[in-house]
Amino acid sequence: LFIFSFIYSTLAIDVAMAPRNIFLSGFILLFVLYFFAWRKRVVATPSLLIKLIFLTGGAFAVWNLLGLFSAINYHEGYYEISRHLLHLILFFIVIQAVIQEPGKLKSIFYVLTIVALLHSLVGILQFYELAFTQLPGNYKPYGFMTNRNLFGSAQALLLPFAIYIFYAASRTWKIIAAFSISSIFVSLILSLTRASWLSGIAIILGAAILVLIFVPTMRKKWMLGTVATAVVIALIAAILILPNKESELASSVKERA
């Protein structure tokens, strides 16, 4: 998970996604051969909810395959569908690992919290042209994702993992997660990606609703944390915009907001 997030190649037309999918394919092959062929690990039975997710993912792939019959650029469709199936297989592997070794689940969250922090720092430094400007891509900040829309989307999707570490880990990791969450908010604002903004808001509200329903002992603390998060986001936006209200960043943020 850590290596995957930083792979790119200037030799490919698709400098990020294609090399990462090749790496992911090789990893999945080695994983399956090692654990299921050589180590003879038994495939664990997932829960009904997980089965429904796989069923939905499979149905989505079939629907896309049927759509290729009327597609003009069907060759590109093959690539997108194969990538979707590749991610579905990765999800299956993660689920198997979590079921068979539940004590290691938090390790995934640790890794992705660090990835979120590093990606955010790269994007922020890149936006202000302090470093990493030589990375391939356009419309800064794009980090290792080649464009700012993908960058913003990736950061939004990493947010839940950092939130969980901030909630459940030791004091040191809470501090790291706090920096990670703050840097994610900065990078989301700089990405100027409305879908990512909506995703971040949905993640924060979704987490609050889930805690209200399923963790009654945490309700008051989590609500205070949600309010504090909103204040922090407002402060970050103010710090980025108010010093120069006439800047291109300020006008772009206002327009998209």
Side-chain angles (χ1 to χ4, degrees):
L1 287 173
F2 185 83
I3 296 171
F4 175 81
S5 305
F6 297 96
I7 292 175
Y8 72 93
S9 172
T10 55
L11 300 178
I13 297 175
D14 184 355
V15 298
M17 294 298 103
R20 290 175 195 179
N21 286 326
I22 293 171
F23 172 84
L24 186 58
S25 300
F27 167 78
I28 289 175
L29 175 62
L30 293 175
F31 188 97
V32 170
L33 290 175
Y34 179 72
F35 283 102
F36 296 117
W38 188 38
R39 295 282 298 275
K40 307 294 184 183
R41 286 288 186 96
V42 178
V43 177
T45 303
S47 65
L48 177 61
L49 175 61
I50 300 300
K51 289 179 181 178
L52 288 174
I53 293 173
F54 281 117
L55 182 63
T56 304
F60 180 73
V62 171
W63 183 257
N64 278 276
L65 284 169
L66 293 174
L68 291 182
F69 286 105
S70 59
I72 298 173
N73 55 342
Y74 59 90
H75 296 96
E76 294 184 17
Y78 292 144
Y79 174 72
E80 296 297 331
I81 294 169
S82 63
R83 188 170 66 176
H84 167 68
L85 292 173
L86 187 67
H87 293 166
L88 205 60
I89 296 170
L90 176 64
F91 180 60
F92 169 77
I93 285 177
V94 171
I95 291 299
Q96 289 297 314
V98 169
I99 291 174
Q100 299 196 33
E101 297 187 17
K104 299 294 180 67
L105 174 61
K106 198 177 287 186
S107 299
I108 295 175
F109 289 76
Y110 287 144
V111 168
L112 294 179
T113 299
I114 294 295
V115 167
L117 177 60
L118 294 178
H119 268 254
S120 295
L121 293 176
V122 168
I124 293 167
L125 292 172
Q126 193 177 67
F127 180 82
Y128 291 104
E129 297 186 348
L130 298 174
F132 304 106
T133 54
Q134 77 282 1
L135 291 174
N138 50 42
Y139 301 109
K140 294 176 290 190
Y142 49 82
F144 288 89
M145 303 300 295
T146 71
N147 69 71
R148 69 187 183 198
N149 290 334
L150 281 176
F151 173 73
S153 299
Q155 294 306 98
L157 292 172
L158 288 169
L159 184 58
F161 300 96
I163 290 175
Y164 179 78
I165 292 300
F166 185 74
Y167 154 72
S170 63
R171 183 179 179 182
T172 301
W173 275 104
K174 284 181 186 293
I175 295 172
I176 295 173
F179 278 109
S180 181
I181 292 169
S182 300
S183 64
I184 288 174
F185 290 147
V186 174
S187 59
L188 285 181
I189 294 172
L190 295 180
S191 73
L192 300 175
T193 306
R194 284 164 290 194
S196 300
W197 294 359
L198 290 172
S199 298
I201 293 169
I203 287 166
I204 293 170
L205 293 179
I209 292 170
L210 290 172
V211 169
L212 284 173
I213 296 172
F214 296 108
V215 195
T217 56
M218 287 289 295
R219 286 174 182 171
K220 184 177 180 180
K221 186 177 180 181
W222 201 277
M223 290 305 102
L224 290 173
T226 303
V227 173
T229 299
V231 172
V232 169
I233 295 173
L235 287 173
I236 290 173
I239 292 170
L240 292 174
I241 295 171
L242 291 181
N244 188 358
K245 295 181 181 179
E246 304 303 321
S247 67
E248 183 179 350
L249 174 63
S251 59
S252 295
V253 169
K254 290 176 184 176
E255 178 188 350
R256 284 163 172 76

